Amino acid sequence: MIEAVIVDDEIKALQSLSWELTNFSDEINVGASFTDPFEALRYLDNNTPDCLFLDIEMPTMDGFQFIQKLKNQDFPVVITTAYNQYAIKALKNEAIDYLLKPIDTDDLKDTIVKIKKHNAKNYTAERLEKILINFNSSSIHKKITLNTDGKLLFLENDEILYAESDGNYSTLYLADGQKIVLTKKLKEVNELLPSDSFFRIHNSYIINLTKIKEFLKTDGYVVLQSNHKIPVSRQKKSDFLDLL
């Protein structure tokens, strides 16, 4: 069942589209409808429908301003308008489709097909991501899972040399010379890395213990196999020596 939300300041247009959707198919249900865009935004902050039918011409806030104010955009948007010139702009604003008022039944049918395809694609991607994470977290296949740049990255412990903090970001330095920037603080990265192989040796650094080549006691540095020199903080020195 597709759960739809309608936003249109004209009550007659809202009721007409609601009737069309409800009577069009038993696969779609209008879960909520609003003539006030601000009220609709508050609703959508806490609810995620399967699709949103949004009017463009509204006096207090037009449809494009509405889209920009949406905090949650994990659902397809269908623009409804009486003006054909909005079609191009609607698609550029990532609307999945647009419907011209008065809404034609055949056009609505095509739109419903697009919504179902969009949601099925997203559902498949989400399921695949869960399958990959579950597979990777098993004791046999366990790897370090990182979410970056819209993709999942699976790394072996041995591939990571060290991690460095950069405020709200962190950078992973890999054995092959690659650098991976993560939108995570070093504390969050530390929680992702297995404690039997990695150690937070400094507020700004986590090292792979298996990659240590030297420990310069006097200088307070470790040298990795890659010849990177990483400082050891005074607070961490005692715990670090216990591990060696």
Side-chain angles (χ1 to χ4, degrees):
M1 177 69 74
I2 298 172
E3 193 79 9
V5 168
I6 305 173
V7 181
D8 195 317
D9 69 301
E10 296 180 9
I11 186 65
K12 288 184 178 179
L14 188 150
Q15 290 173 341
S16 176
L17 178 55
S18 181
W19 185 90
E20 286 272 7
L21 290 172
T22 303
N23 288 275
F24 171 76
S25 170
D26 57 7
E27 292 182 292
I28 190 163
N29 174 62
V30 178
S33 56
F34 303 90
T35 55
D36 182 347
F38 294 97
E39 186 181 345
L41 282 173
R42 287 192 292 271
Y43 175 86
L44 292 170
D45 281 346
N46 301 301
N47 297 274
T48 304
D50 295 313
C51 63
L52 170 66
F53 289 84
L54 176 65
D55 183 32
I56 284 298
E57 289 289 307
M58 296 185 290
T60 55
M61 181 193 308
D62 71 37
F64 300 120
Q65 292 171 327
F66 185 94
I67 291 174
Q68 291 170 358
K69 290 180 182 295
L70 273 175
K71 294 179 182 177
N72 174 15
Q73 296 188 25
D74 293 334
F75 47 82
V77 177
V78 178
I79 297 298
T80 60
T81 177
Y83 303 96
N84 197 26
Q85 67 265 30
Y86 287 120
I88 300 297
K89 189 177 180 181
L91 296 176
K92 286 182 178 179
N93 275 266
E94 299 183 0
I96 192 172
D97 204 359
Y98 74 97
L99 292 170
L100 287 176
K101 298 178 183 178
I103 294 170
D104 181 79
T105 302
D106 289 336
D107 290 340
L108 181 57
K109 181 179 179 180
D110 292 340
T111 296
I112 298 299
V113 170
K114 289 181 181 179
I115 291 170
K116 291 172 71 175
K117 284 183 178 179
H118 177 276
N119 290 347
K121 180 181 178 182
N122 285 357
Y123 174 70
T124 302
E126 288 174 8
R127 282 197 68 218
L128 179 58
E129 181 173 335
K130 288 178 181 177
I131 289 168
L132 286 171
I133 291 173
N134 290 336
F135 175 82
N136 178 61
S137 62
S138 69
S139 58
I140 299 174
H141 308 101
K142 193 169 181 64
K143 292 184 180 181
I144 297 165
T145 306
L146 302 169
N147 202 327
T148 178
D149 294 331
K151 62 183 178 183
L152 287 176
L153 190 63
F154 300 102
L155 297 173
E156 301 281 0
N157 291 1
D158 197 51
E159 293 182 81
I160 301 172
L161 292 172
Y162 69 98
E164 182 179 13
S165 171
D166 185 14
N168 290 326
Y169 295 82
S170 299
T171 302
L172 285 185
Y173 291 80
L174 304 188
D176 65 1
Q178 288 188 72
K179 296 179 184 179
I180 300 172
V181 178
L182 303 173
T183 54
K184 293 180 181 293
K185 294 182 179 179
L186 197 64
K187 179 182 178 182
E188 297 173 275
V189 174
N190 196 41
E191 292 170 355
L192 294 173
L193 300 175
S195 58
D196 60 342
S197 300
F198 292 88
F199 182 74
R200 188 167 183 178
I201 205 166
H202 187 281
N203 281 341
S204 298
Y205 295 95
I206 300 168
I207 62 166
N208 187 335
L209 295 169
T210 67
K211 299 295 182 178
I212 297 173
K213 183 169 69 174
E214 296 177 333
F215 174 38
L216 308 177
K217 294 182 181 180
T218 305
D219 297 334
Y221 281 90
V222 293
V223 180
L224 302 181
Q225 292 171 5
S226 58
N227 290 322
H228 287 96
K229 287 179 66 176
I230 310 294
V232 182
S233 71
R234 291 180 182 177
Q235 295 89 343
K236 299 288 186 179
K237 188 174 181 180
S238 177
D239 291 338
F240 174 60
L241 288 172
D242 288 342
L243 289 172
L244 299 179

